[in-house]
Each structure stands twice: as structure tokens, then as C-alpha cells.
């Protein structure tokens, strides 16, 4: 068995943010049994999510769909066995208000927590993607998604204590709009937003349209197009790169969507804007 003692851990930066992500990744069990022992723990918070197989944490067995959180400065011990073909995610984060947030949300620590696998995997994947870019917007996206993940861990009774009022609904939809503005490059998933508020997708779409005047998908497209226009005007990025940053994996599909929005292709838009003409949305 190979044993890792944590000597190569990434240093934890000082932050005043509510949450700052240190590292996030998806791991498969290697071709041998592996144990990680950190006798002094880590300086940050450590979250582990079991996607497949089994993850042995302390004296507990973490099964698929279960999650575990270590607070800072607490000894770590977790083991994977090659026979289990384990796949798990880890997320290390710090922040000035994490401890108070954990208490307020009544999130259990150092015990298996059952979670929504689909929503958890989506958020962890988005956090990891955000961490690939070391810029202010990416760090903010990682922070926002980590907060959304912690919200998923709050016991359902907290969200179900009373039905949302009109003001609460407005605040909910504003949070969804804010999240869209910070994650416009991700694949649109109404289920993720609905899960944030513990409601069905159809209910979320209805409330969003009622509150904001457009469907959540239409609002997401509006945000994407606004950012695409800004990048065309202010950067030298290629059309393909702008498409990817705006959530379009297919540059041709992006061009078609952009033409529907502005009446011209991205290349035409860039040329016209740089000649000093004003362009309005269709």
C-alpha cells in the first residue's frame, strides 16, 4: 500500500472572501491500495464526494452519493482499495466565514452525508473548471458554486420551514440571475437552479418567468450575447474562443445564435463596431 502524508499539499492562501477554493479535482483509485494520512490535518476545509466504488474515511465507509467534510486542523485518514475501482472528488477551500456558515446551515461534519449526486457532480465539475483559470471572474465563479454546493448540504427542513413569500421569491430569482451572470460559460441546466431552492424545474421556470419577464433560458442567452459582444469589441480572441467562453462548444451554432440576436455574424459585428457604428439587438 502506498501512503501519502500530505507533505506536498498546496499552501493555503489568506483570504477575506466567504469562500476561496484552494483546489478541486476528480480522482480514480490507482492500480494499488492507497492511504492518505495527515496527522495535523490541513489548514483549510476538505470535502470528499464518492462518485463510484467506496472511500474509507476514518472508521466510516463512504458509498456513492455520500460526502464527507473535514474542518481545518483535524487529522485526516482515508483509504482506497484497487479492487473497489473508486472514483471520488475532493474540494479544498478556506474563507473568513466558513465556520459560521456551516453552523448556520447545520451541516454535519466528519460523518457521511447523503446528497443529490447529480447536482453535486455538476457543481464540483463547474468548480474544477473555474479553477483552471486564475483570474478574478473565475475565482468568483468558484466561490459562488462552492456556496451553492454548501447550500445543497443544508438539511431540507431548513428550506421547508415555511413557504416562500413574494419577497423571498424575488430574492431567489435574483440569486439565480446573479449565478447565471457569473456562469454564462457553463452548460445551461435548469435543474441546478431548481435544486438551489428545493423546487421542481417547472416551478422554477414559472417563477423566474413571472418575476423576470423572460424564461431562465432566454435570460441566460441574453447574458451570453452581452458578454460575446463585449469580447468581440474589446479583445482579439478568435471567434471559436469567444464561443467556448460563452458556453457554445460549436462555433457554428454560436454564429447562428449571434446572428439571430444582432442580425449579423460575430465577424461582421466586430468589423462594424470597430468602424464606430452602433449595433442594437434584434
Amino acid at each position: 500500500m502506498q501512503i501519502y502524508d500530505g507533505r506536498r499539499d498546496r499552501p493555503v492562501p489568506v483570504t477575506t472572501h466567504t469562500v476561496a477554493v484552494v483546489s478541486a479535482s476528480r480522482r480514480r483509485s490507482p492500480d494499488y491500495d492507497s492511504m492518505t494520512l495527515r496527522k495535523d490535518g490541513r489548514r483549510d476545509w476538505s470535502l470528499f464526494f464518492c462518485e463510484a466504488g467506496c472511500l474509507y474515511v476514518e472508521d466510516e465507509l463512504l458509498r456513492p452519493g455520500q460526502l464527507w467534510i473535514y474542518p481545518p486542523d483535524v487529522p485526516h485518514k482515508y483509504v482506497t482499495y484497487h479492487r473497489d475501482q473508486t472514483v471520488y472528488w475532493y474540494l479544498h477551500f478556506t474563507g473568513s466565514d466558513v465556520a459560521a456558515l456551516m453552523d448556520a446551515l447545520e451541516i454535519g461534519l466528519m460523518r457521511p452525508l447523503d446528497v443529490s449526486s447529480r447536482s453535486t457532480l455538476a457543481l464540483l465539475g463547474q468548480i474544477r473548471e473555474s479553477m483552471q483559470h486564475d483570474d478574478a471572474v473565475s475565482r468568483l465563479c468558484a466561490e459562488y458554486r462552492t456556496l451553492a454546493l454548501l447550500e445543497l448540504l443544508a438539511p431540507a427542513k431548513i428550506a421547508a420551514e415555511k413557504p416562500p413569500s413574494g419577497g423571498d421569491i424575488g430574492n431567489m430569482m435574483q440569486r439565480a440571475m446573479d449565478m447565471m451572470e457569473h456562469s454564462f460559460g457553463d452548460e445551461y441546466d435548469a435543474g441546478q437552479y431548481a435544486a438551489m431552492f428545493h423546487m421542481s424545474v417547472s416551478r422554477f421556470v414559472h417563477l423566474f418567468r413571472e418575476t423576470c419577464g423572460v424564461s431562465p433560458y432566454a435570460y441566460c442567452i441574453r447574458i451570453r450575447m452581452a458578454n460575446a459582444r463585449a469580447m468581440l469589441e474589446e479583445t482579439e480572441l478568435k471567434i471559436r474562443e469567444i464561443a467556448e467562453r460563452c458556453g457554445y462548444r460549436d462555433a457554428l451554432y454560436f454564429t447562428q445564435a449571434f446572428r439571430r440576436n444582432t442580425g449579423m455574424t460575430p465577424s461582421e459585428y466586430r468589423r462594424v463596431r470597430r468602424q464606430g457604428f452602433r449595433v442594437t439587438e434584434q
Side-chain angles (χ1 to χ4, degrees), residues 13-261:
V14 176
T15 180
T16 57
H17 284 235
T18 303
V19 171
V21 177
V22 178
S23 58
S25 191
R26 181 176 184 261
R27 297 287 304 273
R28 291 183 178 274
S29 57
D31 295 334
Y32 47 82
D33 298 342
S34 174
M35 175 185 295
T36 297
L37 290 172
R38 295 187 175 94
K39 64 179 181 179
D40 298 320
R42 289 178 56 105
R43 299 294 303 277
D44 51 20
W45 296 77
S46 300
L47 180 151
F48 297 92
F49 173 71
C50 183
E51 179 181 338
C54 299
L55 183 62
Y56 298 83
V57 186
E58 303 301 328
D59 295 324
E60 300 283 353
L61 174 60
L62 219 60
R63 299 186 181 278
Q66 291 187 313
L67 180 149
W68 180 283
I69 299 177
Y70 280 110
D73 303 316
V74 171
H76 291 197
K77 175 186 175 183
Y78 51 93
V79 180
T80 61
Y81 294 100
H82 173 59
R83 66 171 185 267
D84 295 327
Q85 297 297 294
T86 302
V87 179
Y88 70 94
W89 291 75
Y90 66 81
L91 172 64
H92 299 302
F93 57 96
T94 184
S96 57
D97 301 319
V98 174
L101 188 61
M102 293 286 188
D103 288 341
L105 295 177
E106 299 182 14
I107 296 174
L109 303 177
M110 297 187 62
R111 62 181 177 85
L113 300 176
D114 294 313
V115 296
S116 166
S117 293
R118 179 180 176 184
S119 298
T120 301
L121 284 172
L123 286 167
L124 285 169
Q126 291 164 3
I127 292 167
R128 181 180 63 174
E129 183 176 348
S130 295
M131 292 301 294
Q132 294 176 359
H133 308 286
D134 188 22
D135 57 79
V137 172
S138 298
R139 290 192 293 271
L140 183 61
C141 287
E143 176 177 0
Y144 197 99
R145 290 159 183 160
T146 301
L147 290 172
L149 177 58
L150 294 181
E151 183 187 26
L152 286 179
L153 305 182
K157 66 181 181 64
I158 296 178
E161 285 179 349
K162 61 177 183 178
S165 65
D168 291 335
I169 291 173
N171 290 335
M172 288 177 179
M173 297 307 107
Q174 183 60 56
R175 287 174 55 199
M177 292 166 68
D178 290 344
M179 186 170 180
M180 289 179 190
E181 290 176 4
H182 289 112
S183 59
F184 62 88
D186 297 333
E187 181 179 354
Y188 171 77
D189 181 5
Q192 174 186 336
Y193 298 106
M196 287 171 55
F197 309 119
H198 308 283
M199 62 179 64
S200 67
V201 171
S202 60
R203 173 70 170 162
F204 166 71
V205 172
H206 171 75
L207 290 176
F208 191 99
R209 185 188 296 274
E210 190 176 71
T211 304
C212 308
V214 296
S215 71
Y217 181 71
Y219 188 83
C220 180
I221 297 300
R222 181 185 297 176
I223 297 300
R224 287 179 174 181
M225 291 298 110
N227 282 275
R229 292 195 301 272
M231 282 186 260
L232 286 167
E233 294 176 26
E234 300 171 10
T235 76
E236 299 299 329
L237 291 170
K238 296 179 180 179
I239 304 302
R240 173 181 52 79
E241 294 173 318
I242 293 176
E244 291 177 353
R245 294 193 181 198
C246 292
Y248 295 92
R249 303 300 175 253
D250 185 333
L252 178 59
Y253 185 72
F254 165 69
T255 296
Q256 294 170 342
F258 192 89
R259 187 198 295 271
R260 286 194 298 270
N261 186 264

